[in-house]
Amino acid sequence: MTSKRAADPVIAATGLFTPPHSISNEELVESYNRYAENWNAQHADAIAAGDVDAKVASSTEFIEKASGIQSRHVMDKWSVLDPQIMAPRLPERPDEELSVLAEIGVAAAKMALERAGRDAGEVDAVLCACSNLQRPYPAMAVEIQDALGMGDGFGFDMNVACSSATFGIQTAADFIRAGNARSVLVVSPEITSGHLNWRDRDSHFIFGDVATAVLVERADMAPAAHWDILGTRLKTSFSNNIRNNFGFLNRAHSETRDTDDKWFVQEGRKVFKEVVPMVSAMIADHMNELGLRGSQLRRLWLHQANANMNRLIAHRVLGHEATEDESPTVLDRYANTSSAGSIIAFHEHSGDLEAGDIGLICSFGAGYSAGTVFVRKAG
Ligand code: COA
């Protein structure tokens, strides 16, 4: 590893917005099971005739054992839990008002700016990097740029599903290396409750809402307490195992087409089996390239989809069963927050590390896509 230069990109600070409402597994399962009972009662004849299958109850034991999730934050709790609605209700706002996705992105961005002691006017670019964009245009990033009062500069949206934030960090770092920007915000607002089918037993427990922000800056501009970026790497490999077919061509399709796949759908077992080796190998290759060994890593901030997946990946990287200190979990309280998961883990569990400590931010998900960002605490 070469020594740091003034124009090298670093992580200056992070920010987090957590919605005030939280839904426990117990509350979620109770709501789903009431919905399933009502549905079975309404379809009793068809079920008895063997035309349709009865809906089977969901269980808190399954959810916690299979995923590690205990609760999730959401923008609107009561409509999600109402068996008649089972979707968030976020009233449409007039165009002149700040969009809800921009609003939570701005909240996270403001925290990152404050922690870095940075004035919004000094930021050159903002990337809105997330899975669930509220609209195609104008870009959410441009609205965030305006709401922050950034003035000159530019913003654009990017969607690489769960890996959006790490892809955003590499993009920001590349802008800085190329001299196209000195200070770049990577904002990941995720209202995943909008794209989740809360009536699907296989996936109704998976997601939560949140927003994160990462401020990437030139080393000579960043505050003293920053994180050197030792290396970033991105990977994609096509798979239909996690998919969302929602889009503007939906209305061009036949109206008789089943709409269940217009939400998040996945083959969870296949994802688990295919992504664990893919990501473990990617991390090992990247470590090799940087001349790092697992024993030199103080902490892993892994994507937060499944605790069992993270246990396996951390074991392969570190060479032993990781402690909670070595590979902290936030999905127990936040569930899967798509691109924001590894950034929440970094935000909440990096303050105690010491100068020289090395860690890895790693995301993975739909595409498939994966990103690795090795960082070292400066000082
Ligand atoms: N309550 C109770 N039982 C349930 C259930 C629920 N909510 N959902 C599914 N089950 C049952 C299934 O019906 C199945 O029963 P069977 O064995 O009698 O057929 C059993 O549990 C196992 O189902 P399966 O889907 O194979 O579970 P799993 O152990 O693979 O766990 C996930 C499911 C989604 C938690 C897990 O596969 C996962 O997290 N995979 C990785 C996903 C990922 O990282 N995705 C990235 C998204 S961004």
Side-chain angles (χ1 to χ4, degrees):
M1 278 177 286
T2 50
S3 57
K4 184 168 46 174
R5 288 167 303 212
D8 281 346
V10 304
I11 293 181
T14 54
L16 172 68
F17 167 80
T18 303
H21 304 288
S22 172
I23 297 179
S24 68
N25 284 348
E26 288 71 22
E27 290 172 306
L28 187 76
V29 164
E30 208 259 328
S31 149
Y32 178 89
N33 289 349
R34 272 204 287 145
Y35 153 74
E37 268 173 37
N38 292 344
W39 192 93
N40 288 345
Q42 279 161 15
H43 296 82
D45 291 345
I47 294 169
D51 295 337
V52 291
D53 291 330
K55 293 206 180 287
V56 184
S58 181
S59 97
T60 54
E61 294 74 27
F62 169 82
I63 295 170
E64 187 158 355
K65 186 156 179 273
S67 69
I69 297 165
Q70 294 171 19
S71 60
R72 69 284 297 140
H73 288 274
V74 286
M75 295 294 288
D76 172 27
K77 173 170 180 168
W78 305 112
S79 303
V80 162
L81 287 181
D82 183 340
Q84 304 301 324
I85 306 175
M86 294 180 94
R89 285 282 177 260
L90 305 171
E92 196 172 358
R93 298 179 179 186
D95 290 354
E96 297 69 35
E97 235 177 75
L98 190 64
S99 321
V100 64
L101 199 76
E103 182 179 290
I104 67 170
V106 164
K110 280 188 173 163
M111 186 193 283
L113 294 175
E114 198 183 309
R115 286 163 66 123
R118 177 73 53 234
D119 190 82
E122 298 170 295
V123 179
D124 303 311
V126 56
L127 313 181
C128 182
C130 64
S131 284
N132 298 285
L133 288 156
Q134 188 171 342
R135 58 166 188 261
Y137 47 82
M140 300 309 306
V142 180
E143 193 180 1
I144 292 170
Q145 173 194 13
D146 184 60
L148 287 173
M150 276 172 52
D152 277 354
F154 63 93
F156 61 88
D157 296 347
M158 51 187 289
N159 180 349
V160 201
C162 290
S163 299
S164 300
T166 50
F167 275 59
I169 291 171
Q170 174 164 319
T171 306
D174 287 345
F175 281 156
I176 289 165
R177 283 191 201 99
N180 291 322
R182 292 160 46 87
S183 175
V184 184
L185 265 171
V186 181
V187 183
S188 301
E190 293 284 11
I191 305 186
T192 64
S193 58
H195 91 320
L196 180 56
N197 183 355
W198 297 90
R199 295 193 170 99
D200 175 36
R201 176 176 173 261
D202 286 347
S203 62
H204 75 119
F205 56 88
I206 288 182
F207 287 104
D209 299 337
V210 83
T212 55
V214 181
L215 184 65
V216 184
E217 300 195 310
R218 266 177 69 111
D220 61 355
M221 171 178 185
H226 62 252
W227 292 82
D228 303 330
I229 296 177
L230 302 178
T232 58
R233 189 181 270 195
L234 312 178
K235 182 183 173 71
T236 52
S237 167
F238 188 71
S239 168
N240 273 323
N241 288 333
I242 315 169
R243 195 163 170 123
N244 184 329
N245 282 328
F246 182 79
F248 71 95
L249 285 181
N250 291 161
R251 67 179 190 153
H253 302 144
S254 157
E255 278 172 25
T256 55
R257 209 177 146 198
D258 189 1
T259 54
D260 274 1
D261 66 348
K262 301 299 181 291
W263 309 102
F264 163 88
V265 286
Q266 74 169 352
E267 295 277 350
R269 188 60 61 103
K270 285 189 191 161
V271 174
F272 195 119
K273 279 198 180 137
E274 292 172 9
V275 168
V276 168
M278 181 185 106
V279 169
S280 307
M282 181 180 173
I283 297 172
D285 278 359
H286 197 182
M287 279 203 304
N288 217 14
E289 182 192 292
L290 295 171
L292 287 170
R293 291 183 312 278
S295 56
Q296 290 173 275
L297 298 184
R298 175 68 185 80
R299 192 163 288 164
L300 307 176
W301 300 282
L302 297 178
H303 177 55
Q304 301 286 314
N306 184 297
N308 302 320
M309 255 174 131
N310 285 4
R311 202 165 297 131
L312 287 174
I313 293 171
H315 194 294
R316 288 187 192 184
V317 173
L318 300 176
H320 61 262
E321 184 81 13
T323 62
E324 191 54 28
D325 184 64
E326 290 170 315
S327 177
T329 308
V330 299
L331 63 82
D332 52 349
R333 284 175 293 126
Y334 281 91
N336 182 342
T337 47
S338 197
S339 66
S342 57
I343 307 300
I344 306 174
F346 178 70
H347 178 87
E348 289 209 330
H349 298 282
S350 55
D352 59 321
L353 265 58
E354 287 173 12
D357 279 346
I358 296 175
L360 166 69
I361 300 170
C362 176
S363 65
F364 39 88
Y368 296 131
S369 60
T372 46
V373 181
F374 283 91
V375 292
R376 179 180 54 209
K377 189 150 186 182

